[in-house]
Structures are given as structure tokens and as C-alpha cells.
Amino acid sequence: MARITLQNVDLEFQVGVEHHDTLKSAIARKLRLRRDSTRTIRALQALTFSIQSGERVGLIGHNGAGKSTLLKVMAGIYPPQRGDVRIEGHVCPLFEFATGFEMDASGWDNIRIRALLLGMSPREIERKANDIAQFSGLGEFLDVSVRYYSSGMLLRLAFATSTAVDPQILLLDEVMAAGDAAFIDSARKRMNDLMERASIVVFATHSLTVLPQFCERTILLNHGRVIADGPTREVVQLYTDGLKEK
């Protein structure tokens, strides 16, 4: 049974900054010198919650609230400095689609490489490869090195491969498909089907009108903290009321 549990999770980043004092700043500018120091950004602060099998959970909040960072913690990309993260079930993170390509390899080879990284077995890959290729709509370009693909073609290939998985835990970060209207419509339908198949879905989005269609529960983040966690319509209303007051 799939489950996500976070207990008092903190995540911090050390960021280099340029520091100036009055007289020293003027001297440094003249001599073209820089004096660097670091500051700490608390990306996530004391996060505690659990998500059970069968739940579809939205993540909302302003830019920089910690939504994408939280997804990467759940995916195991960022280990927290403090606290405990427990994931039970196979995780499929669907974000940063266009990274990780072998640029000198063909489209077909990249389908196989990406599918392996997503946890598919070689037998499963061969069974699904033709369907992935057909959905991508890239045709004979799959025989060509992806170095010659446009950004839209790369995204099509990555999207088609990444959404061919059968995930237990699906992590989504405002997925957008590139291409013509027909492909975008197909991409939406494919995402809906993928979300139906997953045991757990965590969906970070800015689209407050779309969110209630997918998620019964939503977590509102602000500066890395959980501000609200409950029924989606109530949490969305709390968030929009806060935006109106600003």
C-alpha cells in the first residue's frame, strides 16, 4: 500500500550573496573586487503530514512557497537537513521533462534510456516502445539524434515516455505539453488517465479552477510552511481570500 509520511522536515539552501559596506563597497567597485558571503534560505520548515493510498492532494501557494521543492523531497532528489521522510511505493516524478537526454542518441534510444530511469523493466519497455513512439508523433525523427530536435520535439518525446509508466505515487508539477492543439488535447487526456491509475497523486499547480477537478485535499504552503491542509475548496478559498487582502 502506498504512503507518504513527513515528520518535522526542514530543508535549507546555502546561497552566495554579494555583500557591500559603504566605504568598502566603493573601493571594491573601483578595484572590480567582490566579497562573497553566504546566507541560508529555509525552503521547507517543520513540515509534518501524511498522504495515504487513494488520496489526490494538491499543493498551492505563491511562487517560492516551496511546492516544487517539496515534490523533490518526496522524490528523493533533495534530502532534508532535519526530520524524517518515509515513502512506501514506487515514485514517478513528472517534472523537468526535458532534462536527462543523451543528446547524441536517437529518439528510440532515449525512449529506452528514459524508461529505464523511470523504473520500467526491459521487457516492459519493449512492449510499450511502439505506443510511446506513436503518441509522440515524431515518426521518422525517432531515428535521428535528439541533438537536432527542437525544444518542442524534446518535450513531446519526454512526455510520451514519462507518462507510459504505471506509478504507485505520481508527483506532478504544473505539467504543460508543447505542440499543436491536437497534441495538447491528447496530453491532457493521457495525464487524466495516468492520475486515475496512480494510488497517490500529489499535484503542484497555480490553476485554482482546475485543482478541484483532480484533488479532494489541498495543502497551502507559504515560505516553506504548511498554512492550511484540508478539503480543496476550503483551502483554495482561504488562499484566494488572502490574495484579495493584499
Side-chain angles (χ1 to χ4, degrees):
M1 183 175 292
R3 181 178 301 159
I4 299 172
T5 305
L6 276 70
Q7 186 71 35
N8 293 321
V9 168
D10 289 343
L11 181 66
E12 299 172 352
F13 296 116
Q14 299 294 321
V15 181
V17 296
E18 189 173 339
H19 177 72
H20 293 303
D21 297 320
T22 52
L23 180 58
K24 291 180 181 178
S25 174
I27 294 171
R29 280 196 298 269
K30 278 194 174 183
L31 297 177
R32 308 176 73 86
L33 297 176
R34 291 180 58 184
R35 178 178 153 200
D36 293 327
S37 60
T38 61
R39 62 189 175 98
T40 299
I41 294 178
R42 301 191 67 188
L44 301 177
Q45 303 183 53
L47 294 191
T48 297
F49 61 83
S50 62
I51 301 174
Q52 308 298 323
S53 182
E55 288 195 282
R56 275 84 177 109
V57 180
L59 299 178
I60 60 173
H62 60 80
N63 288 330
K67 303 184 296 297
S68 297
T69 302
L70 177 54
L71 287 180
K72 289 177 180 178
V73 167
M74 293 178 181
I77 297 172
Y78 292 158
Q81 274 82 19
R82 289 171 292 278
D84 185 41
V85 178
R86 296 190 181 184
I87 307 295
E88 299 176 32
H90 174 66
V91 176
C92 177
L94 292 189
F95 40 80
E96 298 179 356
F97 274 129
T99 60
F101 282 101
E102 293 291 334
M103 300 306 293
D104 291 322
S106 69
W108 284 110
D109 287 339
N110 272 285
I111 286 174
R112 294 180 174 90
I113 293 167
R114 199 174 189 89
L116 281 172
L117 293 174
L118 289 167
M120 293 190 210
S121 68
R123 181 177 295 180
E124 183 182 8
I125 293 169
E126 294 310 312
R127 178 165 50 85
K128 294 182 176 181
N130 286 331
D131 289 338
I132 293 170
Q134 184 175 359
F135 184 83
S136 75
L138 294 174
E140 61 187 12
F141 284 103
L142 290 171
D143 297 317
V144 177
S145 166
V146 301
R147 182 177 301 281
Y148 303 107
Y149 285 18
S150 67
S151 59
M153 292 168 69
L154 284 172
L155 190 55
R156 277 175 174 249
L157 182 62
F159 183 89
T161 308
S162 298
T163 54
V165 298
D166 293 312
Q168 289 179 288
I169 299 173
L170 181 62
L171 307 179
L172 301 172
D173 193 356
E174 200 82 71
V175 175
M176 298 297 290
D180 56 29
F183 182 79
I184 292 172
D185 186 56
S186 297
R188 288 199 190 100
K189 292 176 181 176
R190 193 171 175 102
M191 284 305 309
N192 291 347
D193 179 62
L194 191 64
M195 293 173 78
E196 286 296 322
R197 299 201 314 266
S199 296
I200 288 176
V201 175
V202 184
F203 180 32
T205 182
H206 290 283
S207 181
L208 302 182
T209 56
V210 170
L211 191 62
Q213 301 174 28
F214 296 110
C215 302
E216 309 88 16
R217 172 187 172 190
T218 291
I219 296 172
L220 171 59
L221 296 173
N222 185 33
H223 297 295
R225 292 184 178 276
V226 173
I227 302 302
D229 180 355
T232 292
R233 294 191 182 279
E234 295 179 15
V235 175
V236 167
Q237 187 63 52
L238 178 66
Y239 180 49
T240 53
D241 287 346
L243 292 175
K244 292 175 185 176
E245 293 173 1
K246 293 183 178 179

